[in-house]
């Protein structure tokens, strides 16, 4: 059966209407998500604007809202993130390399693989409870920066492992074969080729993990972070030999989201402004980390092509 | 036989190979002569690449493969397929050039030097010398000498394949395996690789898999025809292409199937 030209044109026009309708609906869905975020951020910014002064970053919390700042909170966040990165990245990368390159393909490995992915879905409060029992009491690390860093490391370990495995898998088999054919051992192949070529993906995974950890509140509260801290942890650099100190690891701390939580639960209006300002800072920190991840990926990948 | 004396370099003895349960090679026996080119021809899936990859134990990289029979290297009589022989030792003696150029995403210099670095050679003066020698022998020195620190993927496809040959040459192998080395290249790059092979065979024994029968006729001294995992016929290339003993060989060469 053959359509006349006229019939065909009406039919095409009718079908194309659905094209336009979906295009419109899709765009609305997209705008809904993006606009919500923009409005939220804008509102936070408007509210907190007047508190975003240099003093806000250099002052400790205070009973008077206008004097209160986030010094101990951002220093705490930086310190905790440092511990998290230093533990989650080596552990996660090593685990991923083992799973991807070394582990024999059998049911044991399959079970471990499935569980690693599942761990990423465990609610963070559960990690908090685990850490409270294990790190704080069993290991006697107390309510310290070290405990918090290790807890968050545990939380983002699956993210790092999954991202690293994907990055490793992106290295083509032909490159592996080329290295093996020249007489490389497995470790020479991994350390000389697979790891360097996948570094962009590994770094991205690490930063995405950290940007998740930076906003976590529940597990940190569970292990007992303080909400009012008017001092800084011990300095990592000292004037006496050996000039480096690890005392800060055992210090009590607070972090940005907890400081925010503390301020929002105050009845005074002025503290709400502080919370909004801290929210802006936290959001900017997260966005900056994600931006860094994108930048790193772009620049490292430029040098790699197969 | 050709004018010069032929020395046996390696031989496959009753070699069978299995991917899991599937028998991909069936009791193949084949000699490989020193300073000669042996070509493997046959239709897709006949096992020629599988056979080639037995020589440097590439199949060991993947699970559930196993070999039966022997590949013996001369003069030391080592069976490269033996469980007692480390595949890494085999790969240090026998190098390989792959179907698609697969340079590392590193500099030209580091690509060629890698085989030496794997052997623990990191002294710059030695590396410089070996890299130049290998690139010269791969007919790439003139094009690459001013851009040794350039990334390898900035080279053209044909240059990349010659770089892969240089990389395989730098480790001074006893046998060199070529797995359809020109199938991803244009005719001009193909001609330069074929010319190169003719020069290289004065140094070692070459085993090449090719889809292209003209190529086998041009570059090889001996030719083996494989079909469905079996060695149908092996002889001097001239004999195979002018007067094969088996009807299957003749049918394949004249293009009646394949």
């Amino acid at each position: 059966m053959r359509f006349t030209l006229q019939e065909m044109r009406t039919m095409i026009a009718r079908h194309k209407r659905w094209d336009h309708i979906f295009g419109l609906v899709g765009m609305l869905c997209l705008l809904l998500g993006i606009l919500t975020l923009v409005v939220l951020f804008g509102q936070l910014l408007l509210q907190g604007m007047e508190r975003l002064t240099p003093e806000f970053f250099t002052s400790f919390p205070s009973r008077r809202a206008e004097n209160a700042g986030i010094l101990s909170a951002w220093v705490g966040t930086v310190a905790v993130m440092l511990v998290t990165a230093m533990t989650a990245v080596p552990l996660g990368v090593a685990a991923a390399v083992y799973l991807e390159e070394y582990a024999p393909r059998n049911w044991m490995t399959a079970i471990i693989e499935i569980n690693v992915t599942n761990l990423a879905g465990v609610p963070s409060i559960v990690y908090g409870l685990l850490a409270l029992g294990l790190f704080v009491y069993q290991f006697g690390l107390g309510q310290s920066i070290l405990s918090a860093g290790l807890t968050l490391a545990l939380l983002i370990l699956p993210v790092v492992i999954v991202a690293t495995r994907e990055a490793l898998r992106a290295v083509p088999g032909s490159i592996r074969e080329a290295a093996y054919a020249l007489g490389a051992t497995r470790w020479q192949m991994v350390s000389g080729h697979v790891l360097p070529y996948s570094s962009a993906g590994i770094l991205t995974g690490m930063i995405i993990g950290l940007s998740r950890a930076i906003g976590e509140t529940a597990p940190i509260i569970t292990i007992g972070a303080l909400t009012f801290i008017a001092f800084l942890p011990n300095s990592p650099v000292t004037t006496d030999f050996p000039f480096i100190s690890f005392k800060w690891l055992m210090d009590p701390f607070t972090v940005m989201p907890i400081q925010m939580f503390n301020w929002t639960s105050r009845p005074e209006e002025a503290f709400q402004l502080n919370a909004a300002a801290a929210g802006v800072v936290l959001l900017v920190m997260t966005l900056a980390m994600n931006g860094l991840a994108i930048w790193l990926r772009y620049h490292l990948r430029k040098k790699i092509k197969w | 036989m050709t004018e010069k004396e032929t020395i046996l370099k390696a031989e496959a003895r009753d070699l069978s190979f299995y991917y899991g349960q599937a028998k991909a090679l069936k009791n193949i026996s084949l000699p490989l002569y020193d300073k000669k080119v042996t070509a493997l021809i046959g239709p897709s899936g006949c096992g020629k690449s599988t056979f080639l990859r037995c020589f440097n134990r590439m199949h060991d990289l993947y699970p559930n493969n196993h070999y039966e029979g022997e590949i013996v290297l001369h003069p030391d009589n080592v069976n490269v397929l033996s469980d007692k022989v480390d595949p890494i030792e085999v790969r240090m003696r026998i190098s390989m050039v792959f179907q698609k150029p697969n340079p590392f995403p590193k500099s030209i210099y580091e690509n060629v030097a890698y085989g030496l670095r794997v052997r623990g050679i990191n002294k710059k003066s030695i590396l410089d010398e070996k890299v130049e020698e290998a690139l010269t022998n791969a007919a790439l020195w003139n094009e690459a000498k001013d851009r040794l620190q350039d990334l390898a993927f900035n080279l053209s496809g044909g240059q990349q394949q010659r770089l892969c040959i240089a990389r395989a040459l730098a480790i001074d192998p006893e046998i060199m395996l070529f797995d359809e080395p020109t199938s991803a290249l244009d005719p001009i790059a193909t001609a330069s690789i074929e010319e190169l092979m003719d020069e290289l065979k004065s140094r070692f024994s070459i085993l090449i898999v090719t889809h292209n029968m003209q190529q086998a006729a041009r570059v090889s001294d001996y030719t083996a025809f494989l079909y469905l995992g079996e060695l149908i016929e092996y002889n001097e290339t001239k004999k195979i292409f002018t007067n094969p003993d088996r009807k299957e060989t003749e049918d394949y060469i004249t293009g009646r199937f394949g």
Side-chain angles (χ1 to χ4, degrees):
Chain A
M1 159 176 155
R2 177 175 278 175
F3 290 100
T4 68
L5 205 53
Q6 194 49 50
E7 279 173 338
M8 238 186 273
R9 283 179 182 157
T10 6
M11 182 186 68
I12 291 169
R14 199 173 61 234
H15 290 171
K16 273 199 163 172
R17 214 173 304 146
W18 282 105
D19 257 3
H20 294 304
I21 289 172
F22 179 77
L24 216 68
V25 169
M27 196 172 72
L28 280 175
C29 293
L30 181 71
L31 283 181
L32 194 70
I34 292 196
L35 276 181
T36 315
L37 192 72
V38 169
V39 167
L40 261 173
F41 188 68
Q43 204 198 358
L44 270 184
L45 200 63
L46 272 177
Q47 259 198 324
M49 198 56 154
E50 56 172 302
R51 297 291 299 129
L52 283 173
T53 56
E55 291 77 44
F56 189 62
F57 293 90
T58 55
S59 313
F60 287 111
S62 160
R63 254 170 301 155
R64 277 175 300 164
E66 59 276 16
N67 289 348
I70 54 167
L71 179 61
S72 50
W74 74 255
V75 171
T77 287
V78 170
V80 170
M81 283 303 115
L82 209 64
V83 175
T84 303
M86 300 294 263
T87 37
V89 172
L91 280 178
V93 171
V97 166
Y98 175 77
L99 274 178
E100 210 47 48
E101 309 287 342
Y102 282 78
R105 297 268 161 253
N106 56 25
W107 61 270
M108 263 280 279
T109 319
I111 288 177
I112 292 175
E113 279 177 13
I114 293 167
N115 276 306
V116 167
T117 324
N118 283 344
L119 279 180
V122 172
S124 56
I125 187 86
V126 176
Y127 282 105
L129 280 175
L130 172 90
L132 182 67
L134 193 68
F135 298 140
V136 178
Y137 296 127
Q138 195 72 42
F139 293 173
L141 300 179
Q143 299 165 343
S144 60
I145 291 175
L146 186 59
S147 289
L150 292 177
T151 310
L152 293 182
L154 218 54
L155 185 79
I156 67 165
L157 203 53
V159 179
V160 176
I161 293 176
V162 169
T164 303
R165 290 188 68 194
E166 260 159 38
L168 297 177
R169 239 176 289 160
V171 177
S174 63
I175 297 285
R176 291 161 210 263
E177 287 194 347
Y180 281 129
L182 289 164
T185 59
R186 195 149 26 183
W187 176 242
Q188 281 173 325
M189 194 278 293
V190 168
S191 61
H193 299 282
V194 173
L195 274 182
Y197 306 156
S198 53
S199 57
I202 295 174
L203 277 171
T204 311
M206 169 186 120
I207 292 171
I208 289 173
L210 286 179
S211 68
R212 176 177 169 196
I214 203 172
E216 278 298 340
T217 322
I220 302 282
I221 290 184
T222 315
I223 64 163
L226 300 176
T227 48
F228 191 97
I229 290 241
F231 54 86
L232 287 181
N234 282 296
S235 166
V237 190
T238 57
T239 47
D240 321 315
F241 188 80
F243 307 114
I244 296 175
S245 153
F246 288 102
K247 263 192 176 154
W248 59 275
L249 284 173
M250 300 311 285
D251 288 337
F253 68 98
T254 190
V255 290
M256 294 285 295
I258 288 185
Q259 186 64 69
M260 270 180 78
F261 174 70
N262 174 247
W263 279 333
T264 34
S265 55
R266 298 282 192 102
E268 299 97 316
E269 176 74 21
F271 279 109
Q272 307 302 323
L273 301 186
N274 283 358
V280 171
V281 175
L282 188 58
L283 256 174
V284 168
M285 277 169 123
T286 314
L287 291 179
M289 278 166 88
N290 285 333
L292 181 69
I294 293 169
W295 184 84
L296 275 173
R297 184 162 42 193
Y298 176 73
H299 278 270
L300 288 171
R301 293 237 168 115
K302 258 203 310 202
K303 281 197 249 162
I304 290 181
K305 216 161 34 178
W306 347 91
Chain B
M1 287 288 143
T2 34
E3 58 289 348
K4 265 183 256 165
E5 193 191 355
T6 50
I7 305 160
L8 195 61
K9 178 60 206 165
E11 54 187 322
R13 291 179 186 158
D14 210 20
L15 171 66
S16 294
F17 177 78
Y18 299 80
Y19 288 113
Q21 298 298 313
K23 193 170 184 179
L25 295 176
K26 296 166 189 166
N27 311 82
I28 293 180
S29 296
L30 186 78
L32 223 60
Y33 292 103
D34 202 20
K35 303 189 191 337
K36 299 284 178 204
V37 177
T38 304
L40 297 165
I41 60 169
S44 299
C46 72
K48 27 185 215 309
S49 287
T50 303
F51 180 72
L52 183 97
R53 289 162 71 91
C54 291
F55 277 78
N56 64 347
R57 299 269 300 264
M58 258 350 216
H59 298 300
D60 288 40
L61 300 178
Y62 307 98
N64 303 325
N65 295 333
H66 81 273
Y67 313 89
E68 276 168 17
E70 301 181 321
I71 292 177
V72 179
L73 288 194
H74 294 294
D76 43 15
N77 251 320
V78 170
N79 170 22
V80 304
L81 299 182
S82 157
D83 289 339
K84 291 183 198 77
V85 175
D86 193 320
I88 292 171
E89 170 193 312
V90 178
R91 294 176 199 139
M92 289 209 169
R93 301 178 66 180
I94 301 177
S95 61
M96 176 164 179
V97 175
F98 294 80
Q99 184 168 358
K100 240 184 82 199
N102 56 353
F104 301 126
K106 293 180 187 271
S107 68
I108 293 172
Y109 183 96
E110 280 307 320
N111 262 280
V112 182
Y114 185 69
L116 301 161
R117 290 206 191 273
V118 161
R119 287 155 177 74
I121 301 168
N122 286 309
K123 213 170 149 208
K124 192 168 180 304
S125 57
I126 300 177
L127 289 180
D128 284 351
E129 186 192 317
K130 290 279 178 190
V131 167
E132 175 171 352
E133 189 187 316
L135 284 171
T136 308
N137 290 331
L140 195 59
W141 178 248
N142 286 332
E143 289 147 83
K145 64 170 184 258
D146 298 322
R147 48 190 295 205
L148 291 175
Q149 297 310 322
D150 242 27
L151 290 169
F153 60 67
N154 290 330
L155 296 170
S156 74
Q159 287 172 327
Q160 283 185 23
Q161 195 59 305
R162 274 180 280 148
L163 178 66
C164 293
I165 293 174
R167 183 173 68 184
L169 278 174
I171 62 172
D172 205 5
E174 295 168 45
I175 299 175
M176 200 136 136
L177 309 171
F178 288 86
D179 189 359
E180 296 190 44
T182 61
S183 66
L185 303 182
D186 64 63
I188 293 169
T190 300
S192 76
I193 301 273
E194 287 181 5
E195 205 177 304
L196 189 55
M197 251 185 269
D198 212 49
E199 285 163 29
L200 291 179
K201 73 174 187 184
S202 65
R203 307 166 165 267
F204 39 65
S205 169
I206 292 178
L207 182 61
I208 174 175
V209 165
T210 176
H211 244 105
N212 178 327
M213 275 171 289
Q214 286 77 32
Q215 182 169 67
R218 280 193 299 266
V219 302
S220 71
D221 303 290
Y222 299 91
T223 297
F225 172 57
L226 271 69
Y227 184 55
L228 298 177
E230 277 178 82
L231 177 64
I232 305 294
E233 188 169 354
Y234 166 82
N235 217 320
E236 284 181 44
T237 299
K238 215 187 299 168
K239 172 93 165 72
I240 292 268
F241 280 93
T242 52
N243 185 21
D245 290 331
R246 297 278 297 264
K247 187 167 178 305
E248 296 97 314
T249 314
E250 191 181 343
D251 286 350
Y252 180 68
I253 285 164
T254 52
R256 236 164 287 170
F257 82 100

